[in-house]
Amino acid sequence: MVAPNQDGDLVDDSFVFDETKQLKEFRIVLIGDSPVEGIGNTHHRLALSGSTAKAFAQKVVTINNGESFDCVRYWSYGKSGLTAREIEDDMVPHLHRVQNSLIGDNGGSDKQHTMIHAIVLLCGVNNVLDVKSTSSSFHSDVLSLIRSIRNNRHLINTPLIVLGLPDFSKLPFLPWPLAFVLGYRGRMMQRMLERAVREVQLQEREGNTNNKSNVRTLLKVIPDVQYVLGTIGYHRCDGEEATLQMRLCHPLLKYLGGIRLAQDKIASLRITDFLCDDGFHPGRLGTVYVGNLIREAYEEMMMQ
């Protein structure tokens, strides 16, 4: 559980809340493979799930159309090596149990205390690595996975954020020509992932009986590494003594709010700085970056 304290700083699950006070929780459930399990990080609060919760907590007041929340509560269900089909079989039941337990614990009468506000899905990396997995089978598996997530009347309209696949050809641990082969397979799987999400969105629009957009599934693409690292630019600003100063502008600044880095450090970042020691799974900077991408996707959905 993550919450802002009186000074606006973030407090993680080591914080002891007053159990006599009924907290208004913003609830997120993440399901998927190794990043959701926390592979590549020493503590779960530094892994993708904890970083995502902190990213949401930074805007906990404005995140849901101005509705105010006391904290962000998150559940994380992932296992290394799972394909899309295996995530459906092994992880989705945990999601449904969370939803059903919230209803059971609160009697199902108060929507605020029984609803999950967002679901995050990571899938596809292991389909890329599995040579037996084809793009067509992956497409059907993703559709089945999303339908299984929605197979709970309380989750039909819950915002679902599907995270896109990384660019395998840019991962530093992969030698040539393996980087080329997996890069090609990754792009094929990404297209199938995008196609599946578009089909789900079309069904959501067709099932809408009013004039408002009812799209509740969104694919968030991980930007290419060149965009992630960005081009350094400068602009002039007035200091306290009205002297002209130079301040670094970088695309990453809005995504690394949870980490304080010196400006020269940001300017020298490389793709390896976003990965853990294995050169494959996201490290601390990577989880913070992706966590903020997920929060941005949720904000985009709420603005529709």
Side-chain angles (χ1 to χ4, degrees), residues 244-289:
L244 290 177
Q245 299 176 345
M246 301 302 289
R247 188 170 64 184
L248 181 66
C249 303
H250 197 284
L252 279 172
L253 287 175
K254 71 174 181 176
Y255 294 120
L256 297 180
I259 294 181
R260 294 179 175 87
L261 292 175
Q263 294 176 350
D264 58 343
K265 172 66 174 176
I266 295 177
S268 63
L269 288 175
R270 298 176 297 169
I271 185 62
T272 51
D273 295 314
F274 292 82
L275 303 171
C276 67
D277 292 340
D278 66 8
F280 185 78
H281 294 94
R284 188 186 179 203
L285 284 182
T287 61
V288 172
Y289 175 69

XYZ file of all heavy atoms in Angstrom, residues 244-289:
365
model
N 19.908 34.770 -15.310
C 19.572 33.731 -16.273
C 20.344 32.458 -15.942
O 21.553 32.496 -15.730
C 19.926 34.206 -17.690
C 19.048 35.311 -18.256
C 19.550 35.726 -19.625
C 17.608 34.850 -18.336
N 19.633 31.368 -15.862
C 20.240 30.087 -15.574
C 19.882 29.107 -16.689
O 18.889 29.287 -17.393
C 19.755 29.536 -14.228
C 20.093 30.434 -13.045
C 19.505 29.879 -11.768
O 18.642 29.010 -11.788
N 19.983 30.403 -10.657
N 20.671 28.070 -16.822
C 20.383 27.023 -17.787
C 19.823 25.819 -17.046
O 20.393 25.388 -16.045
C 21.663 26.629 -18.541
C 22.327 27.768 -19.284
S 21.243 28.528 -20.494
C 21.181 27.243 -21.722
N 18.703 25.334 -17.527
C 18.092 24.174 -16.888
C 17.906 23.064 -17.917
O 17.470 23.315 -19.026
C 16.736 24.539 -16.276
C 16.143 23.405 -15.434
C 14.938 23.877 -14.643
N 13.833 24.280 -15.504
C 12.704 24.805 -15.057
N 12.557 25.045 -13.781
N 11.734 25.131 -15.881
N 18.238 21.871 -17.521
C 18.163 20.737 -18.439
C 16.713 20.333 -18.680
O 15.931 20.206 -17.744
C 18.936 19.556 -17.847
C 19.002 18.282 -18.672
C 19.808 18.537 -19.946
C 19.643 17.178 -17.850
N 16.361 20.129 -19.953
C 15.038 19.625 -20.312
C 15.216 18.241 -20.921
O 16.033 18.075 -21.821
C 14.365 20.539 -21.331
S 14.216 22.229 -20.768
N 14.492 17.287 -20.448
C 14.669 15.932 -20.936
C 13.335 15.205 -20.878
O 12.591 15.350 -19.916
C 15.709 15.206 -20.078
C 16.251 13.971 -20.703
N 15.540 12.798 -20.766
C 17.434 13.720 -21.310
C 16.264 11.882 -21.366
N 17.409 12.419 -21.713
N 12.995 14.397 -21.897
C 11.718 13.671 -21.886
C 11.535 12.779 -20.674
O 10.410 12.485 -20.277
C 11.788 12.833 -23.176
C 12.757 13.540 -24.045
C 13.761 14.167 -23.127
N 12.621 12.336 -20.062
C 12.509 11.418 -18.936
C 12.070 12.094 -17.643
O 11.603 11.429 -16.731
C 13.861 10.741 -18.696
C 14.190 9.565 -19.604
C 15.623 9.131 -19.393
C 13.246 8.417 -19.355
N 12.228 13.393 -17.558
C 11.970 14.073 -16.291
C 10.554 13.813 -15.782
O 10.349 13.605 -14.591
C 12.211 15.576 -16.436
C 13.683 15.990 -16.547
C 13.799 17.480 -16.807
C 14.439 15.601 -15.285
N 9.574 13.806 -16.677
C 8.190 13.610 -16.230
C 7.916 12.168 -15.832
O 6.919 11.882 -15.189
C 7.211 14.055 -17.309
C 7.151 13.170 -18.536
C 6.030 13.640 -19.464
C 5.913 12.761 -20.696
N 4.770 13.160 -21.539
N 8.811 11.241 -16.227
C 8.614 9.838 -15.892
C 9.456 9.365 -14.720
O 9.293 8.258 -14.248
C 8.940 8.957 -17.102
C 7.998 9.151 -18.257
C 8.459 9.567 -19.493
C 6.631 8.932 -18.109
C 7.599 9.748 -20.560
C 5.756 9.116 -19.168
C 6.249 9.527 -20.393
O 5.387 9.711 -21.440
N 10.378 10.198 -14.254
C 11.255 9.792 -13.166
C 11.036 10.645 -11.927
O 11.971 10.928 -11.180
C 12.727 9.862 -13.608
C 13.115 8.914 -14.748
C 14.586 9.076 -15.091
C 12.800 7.471 -14.406
N 9.796 11.053 -11.710
C 9.484 11.903 -10.566
C 9.779 11.237 -9.241
O 10.048 11.900 -8.250
N 9.735 9.891 -9.211
C 9.985 9.184 -7.957
C 11.459 9.001 -7.654
O 11.823 8.522 -6.587
N 12.344 9.375 -8.583
C 13.781 9.231 -8.381
C 14.447 10.574 -8.604
O 14.243 11.207 -9.635
C 14.381 8.183 -9.345
C 13.833 6.788 -9.011
C 15.896 8.183 -9.279
C 14.390 5.700 -9.886
N 15.244 10.995 -7.642
C 15.945 12.271 -7.779
C 17.317 12.017 -8.394
O 18.167 11.354 -7.807
C 16.080 12.948 -6.415
C 14.731 13.373 -5.837
C 14.914 14.013 -4.467
N 13.655 14.515 -3.955
C 12.796 13.781 -3.266
N 13.068 12.516 -3.030
N 11.672 14.293 -2.812
N 17.528 12.547 -9.578
C 18.791 12.390 -10.281
C 19.371 13.760 -10.606
O 18.634 14.691 -10.920
C 18.606 11.611 -11.583
C 18.220 10.135 -11.478
C 17.957 9.569 -12.854
C 19.315 9.346 -10.786
N 20.685 13.843 -10.537
C 21.338 15.079 -10.959
C 21.129 15.265 -12.453
O 20.980 14.312 -13.209
C 22.831 15.013 -10.632
N 21.095 16.526 -12.879
C 20.816 16.811 -14.283
C 21.860 16.191 -15.203
O 21.537 15.685 -16.280
C 20.731 18.319 -14.488
C 19.539 18.946 -13.775
C 19.504 20.456 -13.907
O 20.464 21.056 -14.371
N 18.407 21.057 -13.501
N 23.135 16.215 -14.785
C 24.154 15.606 -15.630
C 24.008 14.095 -15.688
O 24.359 13.457 -16.670
C 25.554 15.989 -15.145
C 25.800 15.568 -13.700
O 24.813 15.286 -12.997
O 26.972 15.517 -13.292
N 23.444 13.493 -14.623
C 23.194 12.056 -14.617
C 22.112 11.705 -15.639
O 22.245 10.733 -16.392
C 22.766 11.610 -13.213
C 22.301 10.166 -13.123
C 23.413 9.173 -13.391
C 22.924 7.752 -13.137
N 23.946 6.739 -13.484
N 21.042 12.494 -15.686
C 19.981 12.247 -16.656
C 20.529 12.354 -18.074
O 20.189 11.558 -18.950
C 18.820 13.236 -16.442
C 18.166 12.986 -15.078
C 17.783 13.111 -17.554
C 17.053 13.951 -14.753
N 21.385 13.327 -18.283
C 21.929 13.545 -19.621
C 22.801 12.390 -20.091
O 22.954 12.174 -21.297
C 22.731 14.841 -19.648
N 23.360 11.624 -19.155
C 24.293 10.562 -19.530
C 23.659 9.174 -19.471
O 24.357 8.170 -19.635
C 25.516 10.597 -18.611
O 25.139 10.344 -17.272
N 22.343 9.088 -19.256
C 21.697 7.785 -19.145
C 21.771 7.002 -20.445
O 21.687 7.555 -21.540
C 20.223 7.960 -18.745
C 19.946 8.394 -17.302
C 18.459 8.634 -17.107
C 20.453 7.355 -16.321
N 21.917 5.671 -20.307
C 21.898 4.768 -21.441
C 20.832 3.701 -21.203
O 20.313 3.573 -20.094
C 23.262 4.111 -21.635
C 24.389 5.105 -21.927
C 25.716 4.387 -22.019
N 26.059 3.750 -20.744
C 27.044 2.881 -20.590
N 27.777 2.516 -21.626
N 27.304 2.365 -19.401
N 20.525 2.917 -22.232
C 19.492 1.892 -22.099
C 19.836 0.906 -20.999
O 18.954 0.401 -20.296
C 19.269 1.157 -23.439
C 18.112 0.167 -23.333
C 20.530 0.454 -23.915
C 16.774 0.791 -23.012
N 21.122 0.621 -20.779
C 21.520 -0.328 -19.740
C 21.156 0.170 -18.348
O 21.004 -0.635 -17.423
C 23.028 -0.608 -19.808
O 23.730 0.640 -19.823
C 23.390 -1.403 -21.057
N 21.021 1.476 -18.176
C 20.649 2.024 -16.872
C 19.205 1.695 -16.502
O 18.816 1.835 -15.343
C 20.847 3.540 -16.855
C 22.305 3.924 -16.996
O 23.144 3.324 -16.299
O 22.614 4.812 -17.819
N 18.403 1.294 -17.478
C 16.997 0.977 -17.223
C 16.772 -0.506 -16.986
O 15.664 -0.927 -16.698
C 16.136 1.435 -18.405
C 16.065 2.917 -18.546
C 17.073 3.622 -19.180
C 15.003 3.628 -18.017
C 17.025 4.989 -19.295
C 14.938 5.001 -18.127
C 15.959 5.689 -18.763
N 17.841 -1.298 -17.130
C 17.736 -2.740 -16.992
C 18.521 -3.210 -15.781
O 19.431 -2.530 -15.303
C 18.263 -3.428 -18.257
C 17.564 -3.016 -19.565
C 18.313 -3.585 -20.758
C 16.119 -3.478 -19.569
N 18.167 -4.396 -15.281
C 18.937 -4.966 -14.183
C 20.203 -5.622 -14.729
O 20.504 -5.526 -15.925
C 18.075 -5.957 -13.396
S 17.638 -7.444 -14.318
N 20.937 -6.319 -13.894
C 22.244 -6.843 -14.291
C 22.170 -7.863 -15.418
O 23.162 -8.068 -16.121
C 22.945 -7.459 -13.077
C 23.346 -6.412 -12.044
O 23.431 -5.225 -12.425
O 23.569 -6.782 -10.875
N 21.014 -8.524 -15.587
C 20.929 -9.522 -16.650
C 20.727 -8.894 -18.032
O 20.726 -9.585 -19.044
C 19.838 -10.558 -16.359
C 18.426 -9.962 -16.371
O 18.256 -8.783 -16.747
O 17.484 -10.688 -16.000
N 20.549 -7.558 -18.077
C 20.380 -6.877 -19.351
C 19.063 -7.150 -20.037
O 18.883 -6.824 -21.217
N 18.115 -7.718 -19.315
C 16.841 -8.118 -19.910
C 15.639 -7.580 -19.144
O 14.744 -6.976 -19.718
C 16.778 -9.649 -19.987
C 15.565 -10.185 -20.695
C 15.499 -10.187 -22.076
C 14.491 -10.686 -19.980
C 14.380 -10.673 -22.737
C 13.373 -11.180 -20.624
C 13.322 -11.175 -22.016
N 15.619 -7.817 -17.841
C 14.493 -7.370 -17.021
C 14.678 -5.911 -16.584
O 15.810 -5.447 -16.466
C 14.340 -8.260 -15.785
C 13.952 -9.669 -16.101
N 14.883 -10.678 -16.253
C 12.731 -10.235 -16.316
C 14.256 -11.816 -16.531
N 12.959 -11.578 -16.584
N 13.571 -5.211 -16.352
C 13.695 -3.800 -15.930
C 14.318 -3.669 -14.547
O 13.949 -4.390 -13.614
C 12.239 -3.300 -15.939
C 11.404 -4.540 -15.793
C 12.163 -5.626 -16.487
N 15.263 -2.751 -14.426
C 15.841 -2.416 -13.135
C 15.083 -1.260 -12.507
O 13.963 -0.944 -12.901
N 15.727 -0.578 -11.550
C 15.008 0.455 -10.793
C 14.503 1.579 -11.685
O 13.335 1.965 -11.626
C 15.907 1.019 -9.696
C 15.142 1.949 -8.761
C 16.057 2.622 -7.773
N 15.297 3.518 -6.900
C 15.827 4.543 -6.265
N 17.117 4.810 -6.416
N 15.097 5.316 -5.495
N 15.367 2.114 -12.550
C 14.918 3.182 -13.434
C 13.867 2.672 -14.413
O 12.920 3.379 -14.749
C 16.102 3.764 -14.206
C 17.055 4.687 -13.466
C 18.127 5.199 -14.402
C 16.303 5.846 -12.829
N 14.034 1.439 -14.867
C 13.082 0.870 -15.813
C 11.697 0.711 -15.224
O 10.686 1.017 -15.873
N 11.619 0.250 -13.977
C 10.300 0.065 -13.362
C 9.629 1.407 -13.072
O 8.414 1.541 -13.230
C 10.410 -0.751 -12.063
O 11.243 -0.054 -11.122
C 10.997 -2.123 -12.322
N 10.418 2.398 -12.668
C 9.846 3.729 -12.441
C 9.318 4.308 -13.745
O 8.214 4.867 -13.804
C 10.895 4.674 -11.815
C 10.376 6.107 -11.764
C 11.260 4.208 -10.418
N 10.096 4.153 -14.803
C 9.687 4.670 -16.110
C 8.407 4.006 -16.594
O 7.448 4.678 -16.988
C 10.814 4.455 -17.115
C 10.453 4.857 -18.526
C 10.265 6.191 -18.857
C 10.283 3.903 -19.519
C 9.917 6.562 -20.149
C 9.948 4.261 -20.803
C 9.761 5.600 -21.119
O 9.411 5.957 -22.389
